[in-house]
Amino acid sequence: MASVRHQCSQHGQPNVFPKKCIKFKSSTSTNLEQPKHIGIKQVTYTNKLDIFEPSSLKTTPIFRVLDCAGELNKSAEAIIVPNNEELLKMYKSMVLLSVMDKLLYESQRQGRISFYMTNEGEEAVQIGSAAGLLSDDLIYGQYREAGVLLYRGFTPERFMNQCFGNIDDEGKGRQMPVHYGSKTENFVTISSPLTTQLPQAVGSAYSFKRLNNGRCTVVYFGEGAASEGDAHAAFNFAATLECPVIFVCRNNGYAISTPANEQFRGDGIVSHGPGYGIATVRVDGNDILAVYNAMVKARQYVMTNTRPLIFEAMTYRRGHHSTSDDSTAYRSKDEMEQWASKNPIRRLKLFLEKKNLWNDQDDLKYASDTKKKLMQTFTIASKKKKPDWRQMFYDVYDELPEHLMEQMKGLEEHLKQNSQHYPEND
């Protein structure tokens, strides 16, 4: 087609246009003949020049059905309230997790284990989401998902064996404390590097899609982890490959010592969803019934549509980031006290009391019995022997390579020469 040269009035630069120009019928139009420049979206043109200011948008609302007084919002549509047996299991699981946290945290302070991370303030995110999933769904945890494992049947004894790294530790003493994993509970072993689990979860979800086996993957992470490149790679792969994966962000306000308002300027983590073409939901992470209902619906969405979903649970980390952290250095006492009134355990307890399923006497007895049993389990786990040191050389290669055999032999000679420093029964 012949073309005509046109002079730009502002910059004086020549532009080339076809002789036959398209006439606009209105100020905004969609040209169906144009290619889809923006992913799978159809392009819209306008003759009005505006700079889009994201602060003009409203923030995504937070889904809540249970208030701080334990009152259920009866106007909420299609809310599933679990049966009484499951409600009590949820509550007892949260209390058990809380008591176990205190015991293991104090044991680290006494030097009996090397490291620990509590789940205080985030119990509802873990227990509520676990209750809304199927047991076959594959979990990729970060490091504050002990409640998910607990709800799936991972016993306190197994938690403590792992933290002590004793002979009955399923990880054979190779991992730091709180780096749990269980094939039985479909829970991939936690690793220390931040955010590595997100792209791994997408890969698993893609394989589930190819197998058409009715399973999805669920990957947990903190809002700080969403700043890592691995998170953005995972979002994009999940969206373009259309994988059945639920990205569960525990937005607990702090990435170790960095508050959320210094981590990002957007509307939390759900704001990533539209940019990558991913569905989103935001929920009150201290409301276990809201978390449960949102997870049930989220799972139904990813399985029905074979597409990912970002699930942002707004909560608060009431404890220190870990035993290596002192959170009083970067947040005020008033802030922590304010969030104490939103305690997810207390909120569910009040709800159970209104349903005549629980009372203060039940609470005291259960907490006392739980602490007694955990102390017994703790004592037994702490006295168990360590795994055989040779175990560190196995389970990577099908056949032990020569260089590892040489290393094992060298270590054996070292242990014999310095036996007084390495008692075999420790």
Side-chain angles (χ1 to χ4, degrees):
M1 180 184 291
S3 60
V4 62
R5 197 166 290 273
H6 176 76
Q7 197 77 8
C8 175
S9 60
Q10 183 176 358
H11 299 292
Q13 297 296 323
N15 294 318
V16 177
F17 295 99
K19 279 185 176 179
K20 185 178 180 181
C21 295
I22 299 172
K23 295 181 179 180
F24 290 96
K25 294 182 179 180
S26 62
S27 61
T28 302
S29 67
T30 300
N31 187 346
L32 299 178
E33 296 179 2
Q34 291 292 334
K36 295 178 180 178
H37 295 294
I38 309 175
I40 62 170
K41 300 291 185 180
Q42 183 65 50
V43 177
T44 298
Y45 294 91
T46 180
N47 59 10
K48 184 179 180 183
L49 178 60
D50 283 324
I51 294 177
F52 181 75
E53 178 55 61
S55 62
S56 63
L57 294 176
K58 293 182 179 179
T59 58
T60 304
I62 301 173
F63 175 65
R64 172 191 285 179
V65 295
L66 197 63
D67 65 20
C68 293
E71 291 286 352
L72 188 65
N73 187 339
K74 295 181 174 58
S75 64
E77 297 180 1
I79 292 302
I80 305 169
V81 177
N83 60 46
N84 293 345
E85 183 179 353
E86 189 166 10
L87 283 171
L88 288 172
K89 181 185 177 183
M90 287 177 171
Y91 181 73
K92 289 179 178 180
S93 296
M94 286 202 290
V95 173
L96 174 57
L97 180 60
S98 177
V99 177
M100 186 174 70
D101 266 352
K102 290 181 176 66
L103 178 60
L104 289 171
Y105 182 85
E106 290 170 2
S107 73
Q108 191 281 334
R109 288 298 188 236
Q110 296 166 2
R112 305 187 73 173
I113 61 175
S114 61
F115 180 80
Y116 194 70
M117 302 183 81
T118 65
N119 304 273
E120 188 178 7
E122 302 178 49
E123 298 92 348
V125 177
Q126 300 172 31
I127 305 299
S129 60
L133 295 167
L134 299 186
S135 59
D136 281 346
D137 296 331
L138 185 63
I139 304 293
Y140 282 83
Q142 186 173 15
Y143 42 54
R144 222 180 295 277
E145 277 72 50
V148 177
L149 260 177
L150 187 68
Y151 197 81
R152 287 192 163 199
F154 201 80
T155 64
E157 181 182 8
R158 293 163 75 187
F159 280 109
M160 293 183 185
N161 287 338
Q162 197 283 328
C163 287
F164 278 103
N166 62 35
I167 195 170
D168 289 328
D169 170 22
E170 294 167 44
K172 301 180 182 179
R174 298 167 178 165
Q175 290 276 2
M176 286 175 60
V178 310
H179 287 50
Y180 312 113
S182 172
K183 187 174 182 180
T184 307
E185 276 76 28
N186 291 305
F187 192 101
V188 178
T189 303
I190 294 167
S191 58
S192 290
L194 194 66
T195 327
T196 55
Q197 73 277 14
L198 268 72
Q200 293 166 2
V202 174
S204 293
Y206 185 62
S207 71
F208 291 169
K209 173 185 175 180
R210 296 290 300 271
L211 291 169
N212 194 25
N213 59 10
R215 300 173 70 190
C216 70
T217 61
V218 184
V219 57
Y220 293 81
F221 60 104
E223 83 287 347
S227 299
E228 292 283 336
D230 278 355
H232 297 276
F235 294 153
N236 199 44
F237 272 117
T240 55
L241 296 175
E242 298 184 333
C243 303
V245 55
I246 303 172
F247 295 100
V248 181
C249 175
R250 295 175 285 94
N251 192 336
N252 61 21
Y254 289 91
I256 306 183
S257 60
T258 306
N261 63 353
E262 294 181 17
Q263 296 175 52
F264 40 75
R265 286 291 180 266
D267 180 20
I269 305 306
V270 291
S271 64
H272 294 315
Y276 286 104
I278 300 177
T280 61
V281 63
R282 175 177 276 170
V283 61
D284 181 353
N286 290 355
D287 175 358
I288 194 168
L289 294 186
V291 174
Y292 170 77
N293 275 270
M295 184 54 74
V296 170
K297 192 166 185 177
R299 190 189 186 280
Q300 182 182 21
Y301 173 88
V302 301
M303 296 307 299
T304 302
N305 298 283
T306 319
R307 292 184 60 200
L309 180 140
I310 294 175
F311 184 114
E312 185 175 22
M314 310 303 290
T315 182
Y316 187 78
R317 191 195 77 218
R318 292 181 59 205
H320 305 299
H321 174 74
S322 70
T323 48
S324 303
D325 173 48
D326 178 10
S327 63
T328 61
Y330 54 82
R331 57 183 181 179
S332 68
K333 183 179 178 181
D334 289 342
E335 178 183 309
M336 289 186 279
E337 288 178 351
Q338 180 186 356
W339 279 94
S341 63
K342 301 177 182 179
N343 185 337
I345 299 178
R346 179 178 176 273
R347 191 183 297 192
L348 181 57
K349 176 176 177 283
L350 292 172
F351 177 71
L352 295 176
E353 288 177 347
K354 295 179 193 310
K355 291 175 66 69
N356 295 318
L357 295 174
W358 202 252
N359 55 46
D360 288 338
Q361 187 176 353
D362 294 328
D363 212 49
L364 289 171
K365 186 177 186 307
Y366 180 72
S368 176
D369 291 346
T370 299
K371 186 174 182 178
K372 188 181 299 182
K373 291 176 182 177
L374 286 176
M375 283 300 300
Q376 293 172 350
T377 303
F378 177 86
T379 302
I380 293 170
S382 66
K383 293 180 179 179
K384 291 180 181 179
K385 293 181 179 182
K386 299 297 182 186
D388 189 297
W389 61 267
R390 296 172 185 83
Q391 290 289 345
M392 74 173 79
F393 293 96
Y394 294 101
D395 297 336
V396 175
Y397 298 96
D398 183 45
E399 294 183 9
L400 200 64
E402 187 175 340
H403 73 280
L404 286 185
M405 292 179 70
E406 290 176 1
Q407 290 178 25
M408 184 163 63
K409 185 178 179 180
L411 181 55
E412 186 172 20
E413 291 174 359
H414 172 78
L415 293 175
K416 286 179 180 178
Q417 294 172 7
N418 301 275
S419 59
Q420 70 275 21
H421 300 298
Y422 301 98
E424 288 189 14
N425 59 348
D426 277 0

